[in-house]
Amino acid sequence: MNRTYRLILDCPDQVGIVTRVAEMITRHGGWISEAAHHSDVESQRFFSRFEIQADSLSFGIETLREKFAPMIEEYQMNFNLIDSCQPKKVILMASKGSHCLSDLLDRWRSNDLDCEISCVISNHTDMQGLVEWYGIPYHHVVIDKDNKAPGFAQVEALVDEYQADCIVLARYMQILPQVLCEKYRHKVINIHHSFLPSFIGAKPYHQASRRGVKLIGATCHYVTEQLDEGPIIDQDVVRVTHSDKVEDLVRLGKDVEKTVLARGLRHHLEDRILVHGNKTVVFS
Amino acid sequence: MNRTYRLILDCPDQVGIVTRVAEMITRHGGWISEAAHHSDVESQRFFSRFEIQADSLSFGIETLREKFAPMIEEYQMNFNLIDSCQPKKVILMASKGSHCLSDLLDRWRSNDLDCEISCVISNHTDMQGLVEWYGIPYHHVVIDKDNKAPGFAQVEALVDEYQADCIVLARYMQILPQVLCEKYRHKVINIHHSFLPSFIGAKPYHQASRRGVKLIGATCHYVTEQLDEGPIIDQDVVRVTHSDKVEDLVRLGKDVEKTVLARGLRHHLEDRILVHGNKTVVFS
Amino acid sequence: MNRTYRLILDCPDQVGIVTRVAEMITRHGGWISEAAHHSDVESQRFFSRFEIQADSLSFGIETLREKFAPMIEEYQMNFNLIDSCQPKKVILMASKGSHCLSDLLDRWRSNDLDCEISCVISNHTDMQGLVEWYGIPYHHVVIDKDNKAPGFAQVEALVDEYQADCIVLARYMQILPQVLCEKYRHKVINIHHSFLPSFIGAKPYHQASRRGVKLIGATCHYVTEQLDEGPIIDQDVVRVTHSDKVEDLVRLGKDVEKTVLARGLRHHLEDRILVHGNKTVVFS
Amino acid sequence: MNRTYRLILDCPDQVGIVTRVAEMITRHGGWISEAAHHSDVESQRFFSRFEIQADSLSFGIETLREKFAPMIEEYQMNFNLIDSCQPKKVILMASKGSHCLSDLLDRWRSNDLDCEISCVISNHTDMQGLVEWYGIPYHHVVIDKDNKAPGFAQVEALVDEYQADCIVLARYMQILPQVLCEKYRHKVINIHHSFLPSFIGAKPYHQASRRGVKLIGATCHYVTEQLDEGPIIDQDVVRVTHSDKVEDLVRLGKDVEKTVLARGLRHHLEDRILVHGNKTVVFS
């Protein structure tokens, strides 16, 4: 694979940022193979992403980071420099519904998701054999509905043990405790089975059926303390008709859920998403 | 044009309804060129639509209606028999925004909407010349925001005078008084500029921008007393990104609004929509 | 599951067919839970599909078939009566690319595809373990590119042994010999990785990239002797841009391929597809 | 309106182009409000577009152009610098079908297309009154099918007289002579009523109906000497079924045609399209 360094930054907007950053890269022979920028007019904030060919530089990522240090301070940047050859460590969390999990595993095996899958955590054992066929550890962690703390403590221990960069709730069906939401801020990706902000909360397909909508959707978002209110990464919809019963909506919705989740995760793995407030900038 | 009789009915579900109806039509030589049925499991209600070639019958629509009278009573049917050669009389209501109005007028002139457009009613005069070029009467009816009753009385008088079968709120921007909603129940079609039930109420594109959604939509629905809560006829969406400002959402939304409104109206004109409760059956 | 009999027919169009068929069903107490009809004006042919609640009849499917015998002759019907509780036997054929295979297996396990999967046949062994985890026999049948006949003889033997009702080419990458296309007419479903009739033949994503199209697609169709020319069951597309290289098209295309193939197969399994000439009627 | 200078360039790819261009802009205080880049790996060509706030520079566009002169030569750039406050002069050409024409006129009047519409040229007079209501000159230029040269000479004279920057074939239904295609290279935008390269040539909806496709589309492209083979700007599709006759395809296709044409034209007017060979880079 082509090794690149991904430079992601945001800072208060002003003249000359792109030039200063680009000049710094080019001065050292760096080849910029991709670049995207966004100025948010309302917040007067600037967002940018550069992809630099690693082998065009005569030094490594640490040296590059040091060279940017003064600029980061001067412009008050949130600054991130990532080596594309260090795949992110991802933990998948799933329940009984297998469509998202199975879909992500096949994409990963087919090299369409550039990451390491550290393990799968589930409160059920149904998919253990399949996950292990992929060579991925499977942890059965029961969340007792009357006492959830021990289960989630185990989840937290696993996340920390694996030093996971990203947790994917692949139709996990459990609400993550607030403390974990905060601890893994902008690292937990959820797929919600409605076109948010429609049908927040439980049983969205039932709600959709009652309201008689003609399209149903799914929303991939970062998990925050506010349930179903986190920054939206991606969404999509599929057409339904009066003849589709709730179980048809559930089935049709699965296709949207797995596609949108995979797309959102891919953007995350490629460091294409910047969050500001409750919104995302996605440089796709 | 090919003349057909459209038979639309709904009633409590039971065995044999399709057969009884079809048998009645066929017994008199009627050629069924289209037929669609739907059983709503929850409400145990049956919905059906037949299209019959008019010239395959040896008698007219009135006689056909009489022949069905006993069956209507027996099955407790809501029953409607419509002559496709009697185009519906439609009143378009618009404000300053011209995209829906202009779109509907061109479709009508191109014979893609089978109706009579009785007149256009607007609280502005901007589009008067264009409407008149199409040979359609234009009524400028001011709705005084401090005293709306006289304006709406004038609207009501016009609707009654033209004996309109259908009123289209083509981005009319005014809330119809409750009394008119009730009087013209299931005859007033509105286009709401959001993917309902998301962003009910005012300035949906501003709401969408604040929430950071990745798709925006529009919803065509029958107007009821509950604002933006009426039975949904059709919906669609378009993709947006972080770089789209509110004014871009407004512009992109227009394409969805006009397409969805035209599609919904067309279904209405072809008697393809049956309403039950707050939902629609659309035999498209 | 709700047991139904599916009655599928086509015949020269004339007045009264729906009534005659419906009357026959109703006379014996049959409850029609779904019905759809289509008159093809050009060929003057009539197509129809009824779904009848099995337990509303006092006799079985064989007796029902007998009762229709005179009508079949009178109207010169192609007539099919299928018991929904006799799941079709499906053979999946795959190559190295796993996205369609893996997707179909998960749908099947999740009860979203109502069939038996008799076995998987592949010219590679990569997916053997996964297939067997699902409890499905795996046959590794090598197609020698210099002498294909023995391999395909083995395929034919397996199809016959399993008495398969349907063969799905889930990105099988081999052209079926003409004799098998004829033998299993309208039983072999292929997914072609282009929006047919664009980019017929080899390497459609390379062709698409060269032409600079802004959408790529996939086509699910019945296999006939004319490569990529069989009756189309379903199609869909996804948006691409100038920045998508061939390998991106391949990746983006996979999502469309697997969704369209699954949708097409589902229609086939539910007996919703009637073929006439090189076109399909899909009662969805 | 916010005045910007749009800088569009392409040249052989090498390290440092973005930096050099950005540095030149920033050195003079230029505020870059938008920037996009694309490296075509195959042709090793680099494409870029910058949008610069005009009032952030202390001098005008001519001076800016001069400052870039040495760089243009050094990098062998195709270079274009455009003032967003100089709206392009557009000529619309139409036939009897009014949907695209009427749609573009309404968009233009609603300020959703930033251009001057110099005139409408048509071989029919049907829409003259409507066009004139918009305050736009209408020229009725007959193309005699047995002697097309005089008509097209008149068209050419009008294009030259109005100094048009862009000609839009809004379902014009005539093939432009080769000499005009060459003279107005990359300035003539056509809407083709099929999803190219499917159904090249005449009566694409008839072809689509015969092939039994499940989606129909439209393609907006620059006109070249090779009919229907020019660089594609945008495409879209709409779903159809077996019950849609050719006239339904025509009607459904209109919605796609007008939307895709408007979108493509908008990209052109905003100088977002760069052509290389038979493909486009669209910085949307």
Side-chain angles (χ1 to χ4, degrees):
Chain A
M1 206 189 87
N2 182 20
R3 179 181 212 148
T4 60
Y5 300 142
R6 296 173 192 148
L7 193 161
I8 320 294
L9 65 92
D10 66 87
C11 61
D13 205 356
Q14 58 171 283
V15 169
I17 306 172
V18 169
T19 305
R20 280 290 297 280
V21 175
E23 196 276 331
M24 172 70 87
I25 297 165
T26 308
R27 188 196 309 164
H28 301 289
W31 182 298
I32 299 166
S33 57
E34 227 187 289
H37 321 293
H38 172 61
S39 294
D40 187 61
V41 175
E42 214 175 285
S43 63
Q44 303 221 12
R45 208 161 173 85
F46 177 78
F47 302 83
S48 193
R49 180 184 186 278
F50 289 84
E51 202 138 345
I52 306 152
Q53 296 300 315
D55 58 13
S56 65
L57 289 169
S58 53
F59 45 77
I61 195 168
E62 278 316 314
T63 308
L64 186 61
R65 196 174 278 124
E66 278 162 33
K67 288 186 189 299
F68 271 107
M71 205 184 296
I72 293 169
E73 196 167 349
E74 184 188 339
Y75 286 93
Q76 297 175 274
M77 285 176 177
N78 293 319
F79 181 96
N80 245 301
L81 192 59
I82 299 123
D83 184 342
S84 75
C85 280
Q86 295 258 337
K88 290 191 177 37
K89 296 187 208 101
V90 175
I91 290 181
L92 305 181
M93 299 185 72
S95 187
K96 273 173 175 285
S98 58
H99 57 289
C100 286
L101 178 61
S102 160
D103 181 75
L104 291 175
L105 291 172
D106 182 71
R107 288 174 196 269
W108 172 76
R109 184 184 166 281
S110 307
N111 297 316
D112 286 337
L113 281 180
D114 184 30
C115 64
E116 221 177 278
I117 299 188
S118 304
C119 71
V120 170
I121 299 176
S122 176
N123 40 356
H124 297 279
T125 54
D126 309 53
M127 299 294 283
Q128 180 156 2
L130 182 120
V131 169
E132 289 173 353
W133 180 81
Y134 282 101
I136 295 169
Y138 190 92
H139 299 281
H140 178 218
V141 178
V142 177
I143 306 295
D144 179 341
K145 77 175 163 45
D146 298 319
N147 183 18
K148 301 191 169 190
F152 281 119
Q154 217 179 323
V155 167
E156 186 176 358
L158 284 166
V159 173
D160 293 349
E161 183 196 324
Y162 283 109
Q163 297 183 282
D165 299 300
C166 174
I167 301 159
V168 176
L169 307 184
R171 298 301 316 274
Y172 180 53
M173 309 300 278
Q174 299 283 338
I175 297 168
L176 233 54
Q178 194 152 331
V179 60
L180 291 189
C181 294
E182 277 162 28
K183 183 168 174 185
Y184 308 119
R185 191 168 191 74
H186 301 163
K187 292 186 168 181
V188 185
I189 294 176
N190 185 43
I191 181 72
H192 184 76
H193 44 317
S194 90
F195 183 75
L196 289 175
S198 289
F199 312 130
I200 283 178
K203 294 197 175 285
Y205 291 126
H206 287 77
Q207 295 184 53
S209 178
R210 265 197 303 279
R211 183 59 188 92
V213 292
K214 301 300 184 185
L215 297 169
I216 56 166
T219 303
C220 177
H221 65 97
Y222 286 117
V223 170
T224 60
E225 307 82 71
Q226 305 305 106
L227 191 64
D228 304 338
E229 300 273 5
I232 293 171
I233 301 170
D234 202 0
Q235 305 186 285
D236 220 330
V237 294
V238 66
R239 191 158 291 276
V240 298
T241 77
H242 60 264
S243 69
D244 290 309
K245 302 183 192 66
V246 170
E247 62 255 35
D248 297 310
L249 303 192
V250 169
R251 177 177 48 79
L252 291 164
K254 285 180 183 176
D255 280 353
V256 187
E257 292 166 27
K258 67 190 191 192
T259 309
V260 169
L261 176 56
R263 222 154 58 192
L265 176 56
R266 190 178 159 87
H267 288 322
H268 179 87
L269 296 176
E270 296 183 348
D271 303 293
R272 297 188 175 279
I273 312 174
L274 290 90
V275 181
H276 69 125
N278 205 38
K279 296 166 71 168
T280 59
V281 171
V282 182
F283 288 124
S284 61
Chain B
M1 208 188 87
N2 181 22
R3 180 181 210 148
T4 61
Y5 300 142
R6 296 172 191 148
L7 192 160
I8 320 294
L9 65 90
D10 65 90
C11 61
D13 205 357
Q14 59 173 282
V15 169
I17 306 171
V18 169
T19 305
R20 280 289 298 279
V21 174
E23 196 275 331
M24 172 70 87
I25 297 164
T26 308
R27 188 196 308 163
H28 301 289
W31 183 298
I32 299 167
S33 56
E34 228 187 289
H37 321 292
H38 172 62
S39 294
D40 188 60
V41 176
E42 213 175 286
S43 63
Q44 303 218 19
R45 206 158 177 86
F46 178 77
F47 303 83
S48 194
R49 179 183 187 277
F50 290 84
E51 201 138 347
I52 306 152
Q53 296 301 316
D55 58 13
S56 64
L57 290 169
S58 54
F59 44 78
I61 195 166
E62 279 316 315
T63 309
L64 186 61
R65 194 174 280 124
E66 277 161 32
K67 290 188 186 297
F68 271 107
M71 204 185 296
I72 293 169
E73 196 166 350
E74 183 187 341
Y75 287 92
Q76 298 175 272
M77 286 177 177
N78 293 319
F79 181 95
N80 244 302
L81 192 59
I82 299 123
D83 184 342
S84 75
C85 281
Q86 295 257 340
K88 291 189 176 40
K89 294 187 209 103
V90 175
I91 290 182
L92 305 181
M93 299 185 71
S95 185
K96 273 175 173 284
S98 58
H99 57 289
C100 286
L101 178 61
S102 158
D103 180 77
L104 292 175
L105 292 172
D106 182 71
R107 288 174 196 270
W108 170 77
R109 184 183 166 280
S110 307
N111 296 318
D112 287 338
L113 283 179
D114 183 29
C115 63
E116 220 178 277
I117 299 188
S118 304
C119 71
V120 171
I121 300 177
S122 176
N123 40 357
H124 298 278
T125 54
D126 310 53
M127 300 293 286
Q128 179 154 4
L130 182 120
V131 170
E132 290 173 354
W133 180 81
Y134 282 100
I136 295 169
Y138 191 93
H139 298 281
H140 178 217
V141 178
V142 177
I143 306 295
D144 179 341
K145 76 176 165 41
D146 298 319
N147 184 17
K148 300 190 169 189
F152 282 118
Q154 218 179 320
V155 168
E156 187 177 356
L158 284 165
V159 173
D160 292 350
E161 183 195 323
Y162 283 108
Q163 298 184 281
D165 299 299
C166 174
I167 302 160
V168 177
L169 307 185
R171 298 301 315 277
Y172 179 54
M173 310 300 277
Q174 300 282 340
I175 298 167
L176 232 55
Q178 195 152 330
V179 61
L180 293 189
C181 294
E182 277 162 28
K183 183 167 174 186
Y184 308 120
R185 192 168 191 72
H186 301 163
K187 294 185 168 181
V188 185
I189 295 177
N190 185 42
I191 181 72
H192 183 76
H193 44 317
S194 90
F195 183 72
L196 288 176
S198 288
F199 313 130
I200 284 178
K203 293 194 174 289
Y205 290 126
H206 287 78
Q207 294 183 54
S209 177
R210 265 196 305 278
R211 183 59 188 93
V213 292
K214 301 299 185 187
L215 296 168
I216 56 167
T219 303
C220 177
H221 65 98
Y222 286 117
V223 171
T224 60
E225 308 82 72
Q226 304 306 104
L227 190 63
D228 305 339
E229 301 273 3
I232 293 172
I233 302 170
D234 201 1
Q235 306 188 281
D236 220 329
V237 294
V238 67
R239 191 157 289 277
V240 298
T241 76
H242 59 265
S243 68
D244 290 309
K245 302 182 192 68
V246 170
E247 62 255 36
D248 297 311
L249 304 192
V250 169
R251 176 177 50 79
L252 290 164
K254 285 180 184 176
D255 280 354
V256 187
E257 293 166 26
K258 68 191 191 192
T259 309
V260 169
L261 176 56
R263 223 152 57 192
L265 175 57
R266 190 178 159 87
H267 289 321
H268 179 88
L269 295 176
E270 296 183 349
D271 303 293
R272 298 188 175 278
I273 313 173
L274 288 91
V275 180
H276 69 123
N278 205 38
K279 296 166 71 169
T280 59
V281 171
V282 182
F283 290 124
S284 60
Chain C
M1 208 188 88
N2 181 22
R3 179 180 211 150
T4 61
Y5 301 141
R6 297 171 191 148
L7 193 160
I8 320 295
L9 65 91
D10 65 90
C11 61
D13 206 357
Q14 59 172 283
V15 169
I17 306 172
V18 169
T19 305
R20 281 289 298 279
V21 174
E23 197 275 330
M24 171 71 87
I25 298 165
T26 308
R27 188 197 309 164
H28 302 287
W31 182 298
I32 299 167
S33 56
E34 230 186 287
H37 321 292
H38 171 63
S39 294
D40 188 61
V41 177
E42 213 175 288
S43 62
Q44 304 220 20
R45 205 157 176 87
F46 177 76
F47 302 83
S48 192
R49 179 185 187 277
F50 289 84
E51 201 138 348
I52 307 151
Q53 295 301 316
D55 59 13
S56 65
L57 290 169
S58 54
F59 45 78
I61 196 167
E62 279 316 314
T63 310
L64 187 60
R65 196 173 279 124
E66 278 160 33
K67 289 187 186 299
F68 271 107
M71 205 184 295
I72 293 169
E73 195 167 350
E74 182 186 341
Y75 286 93
Q76 297 175 272
M77 286 177 178
N78 293 320
F79 181 94
N80 245 302
L81 192 59
I82 300 123
D83 183 342
S84 76
C85 281
Q86 295 257 342
K88 290 190 176 39
K89 295 187 210 104
V90 175
I91 289 182
L92 305 181
M93 299 185 72
S95 186
K96 273 174 173 285
S98 58
H99 58 289
C100 286
L101 177 61
S102 157
D103 180 77
L104 291 175
L105 291 172
D106 182 71
R107 289 174 195 269
W108 170 76
R109 183 183 168 281
S110 306
N111 297 318
D112 287 337
L113 283 179
D114 183 29
C115 63
E116 222 178 275
I117 300 188
S118 304
C119 71
V120 170
I121 300 176
S122 176
N123 39 357
H124 297 279
T125 55
D126 310 52
M127 300 294 285
Q128 179 155 3
L130 182 120
V131 170
E132 289 173 355
W133 179 81
Y134 282 100
I136 295 169
Y138 191 93
H139 300 281
H140 177 218
V141 178
V142 177
I143 305 296
D144 179 342
K145 76 176 164 45
D146 298 319
N147 182 18
K148 300 189 169 189
F152 281 119
Q154 217 179 323
V155 168
E156 187 177 357
L158 285 165
V159 173
D160 292 350
E161 182 195 323
Y162 283 108
Q163 297 183 282
D165 299 299
C166 174
I167 302 159
V168 176
L169 306 186
R171 298 302 316 276
Y172 179 54
M173 310 300 277
Q174 299 283 339
I175 297 167
L176 234 54
Q178 195 153 329
V179 60
L180 293 188
C181 294
E182 277 161 28
K183 183 167 175 185
Y184 308 121
R185 192 166 190 74
H186 301 163
K187 293 185 167 181
V188 185
I189 295 177
N190 185 43
I191 181 71
H192 184 76
H193 44 316
S194 90
F195 183 75
L196 289 176
S198 288
F199 312 131
I200 284 179
K203 294 195 174 288
Y205 291 126
H206 287 78
Q207 294 183 53
S209 178
R210 265 197 304 278
R211 183 59 188 94
V213 292
K214 300 300 185 185
L215 297 168
I216 56 167
T219 303
C220 178
H221 64 98
Y222 286 117
V223 171
T224 59
E225 307 83 71
Q226 305 306 104
L227 189 65
D228 305 338
E229 301 273 3
I232 293 172
I233 301 170
D234 201 1
Q235 305 187 283
D236 219 331
V237 293
V238 66
R239 190 158 290 278
V240 297
T241 76
H242 59 264
S243 69
D244 290 309
K245 302 182 193 67
V246 170
E247 61 255 36
D248 298 310
L249 304 192
V250 169
R251 176 177 49 79
L252 291 163
K254 286 179 183 176
D255 280 354
V256 187
E257 292 166 29
K258 69 191 191 192
T259 310
V260 170
L261 176 57
R263 225 153 56 193
L265 175 57
R266 191 179 159 87
H267 288 322
H268 179 88
L269 296 175
E270 296 183 349
D271 303 293
R272 297 188 176 279
I273 313 173
L274 290 90
V275 180
H276 69 124
N278 204 38
K279 297 167 70 168
T280 60
V281 171
V282 182
F283 289 125
S284 60
Chain D
M1 207 188 88
N2 181 22
R3 178 181 212 150
T4 60
Y5 300 142
R6 296 171 192 150
L7 193 161
I8 320 293
L9 65 91
D10 66 88
C11 60
D13 205 357
Q14 57 172 282
V15 170
I17 306 172
V18 169
T19 305
R20 280 289 299 281
V21 173
E23 196 275 331
M24 171 70 88
I25 297 165
T26 309
R27 188 196 308 162
H28 301 289
W31 183 297
I32 298 166
S33 57
E34 228 187 289
H37 321 292
H38 172 61
S39 294
D40 187 61
V41 175
E42 212 175 288
S43 63
Q44 303 221 17
R45 205 158 177 88
F46 177 77
F47 302 83
S48 192
R49 180 184 187 277
F50 290 84
E51 201 138 345
I52 307 152
Q53 296 301 316
D55 59 13
S56 65
L57 290 169
S58 54
F59 46 77
I61 195 168
E62 278 316 314
T63 309
L64 187 61
R65 195 173 279 125
E66 279 161 32
K67 288 186 189 300
F68 271 107
M71 205 185 295
I72 294 169
E73 195 167 350
E74 184 186 340
Y75 286 92
Q76 297 176 272
M77 285 176 177
N78 293 319
F79 181 95
N80 245 301
L81 192 60
I82 300 124
D83 184 343
S84 76
C85 280
Q86 295 257 341
K88 290 190 176 38
K89 295 187 208 102
V90 175
I91 290 181
L92 305 181
M93 300 184 72
S95 185
K96 272 174 176 285
S98 58
H99 57 289
C100 286
L101 178 61
S102 160
D103 180 76
L104 291 175
L105 291 172
D106 182 71
R107 288 174 197 269
W108 171 77
R109 183 182 167 281
S110 308
N111 297 317
D112 286 337
L113 282 179
D114 183 30
C115 64
E116 222 177 275
I117 299 187
S118 304
C119 71
V120 171
I121 299 176
S122 177
N123 39 357
H124 298 279
T125 54
D126 310 53
M127 299 293 284
Q128 179 156 3
L130 182 120
V131 170
E132 289 173 353
W133 179 81
Y134 282 101
I136 295 169
Y138 191 92
H139 299 281
H140 178 218
V141 177
V142 177
I143 306 295
D144 179 341
K145 77 175 162 46
D146 298 318
N147 183 18
K148 301 190 170 191
F152 282 120
Q154 217 180 321
V155 168
E156 187 177 357
L158 284 165
V159 173
D160 292 349
E161 182 195 323
Y162 282 109
Q163 298 183 283
D165 298 300
C166 174
I167 301 159
V168 177
L169 307 185
R171 299 301 316 276
Y172 180 55
M173 310 300 277
Q174 299 284 339
I175 297 167
L176 233 54
Q178 194 152 331
V179 60
L180 291 189
C181 294
E182 277 162 27
K183 182 168 175 186
Y184 308 120
R185 191 168 191 74
H186 302 162
K187 294 185 166 180
V188 185
I189 295 177
N190 185 43
I191 181 72
H192 184 76
H193 44 318
S194 91
F195 183 72
L196 288 176
S198 288
F199 312 131
I200 283 178
K203 294 197 175 284
Y205 291 126
H206 286 78
Q207 294 183 52
S209 177
R210 265 197 304 278
R211 182 60 187 92
V213 292
K214 300 301 184 184
L215 297 168
I216 56 166
T219 303
C220 177
H221 65 97
Y222 287 116
V223 171
T224 59
E225 307 82 72
Q226 305 305 105
L227 191 64
D228 304 340
E229 300 273 4
I232 293 172
I233 301 169
D234 202 0
Q235 305 187 285
D236 221 330
V237 293
V238 67
R239 191 158 291 277
V240 298
T241 77
H242 60 265
S243 68
D244 290 309
K245 302 182 192 68
V246 170
E247 62 255 35
D248 297 310
L249 304 192
V250 169
R251 177 176 49 78
L252 291 164
K254 285 180 184 177
D255 280 353
V256 187
E257 292 166 28
K258 69 190 190 191
T259 309
V260 170
L261 177 57
R263 223 153 58 193
L265 175 57
R266 191 178 158 87
H267 288 323
H268 179 87
L269 295 176
E270 296 183 349
D271 303 294
R272 297 188 175 279
I273 313 173
L274 289 92
V275 180
H276 69 124
N278 204 38
K279 297 166 70 169
T280 59
V281 170
V282 181
F283 289 124
S284 60

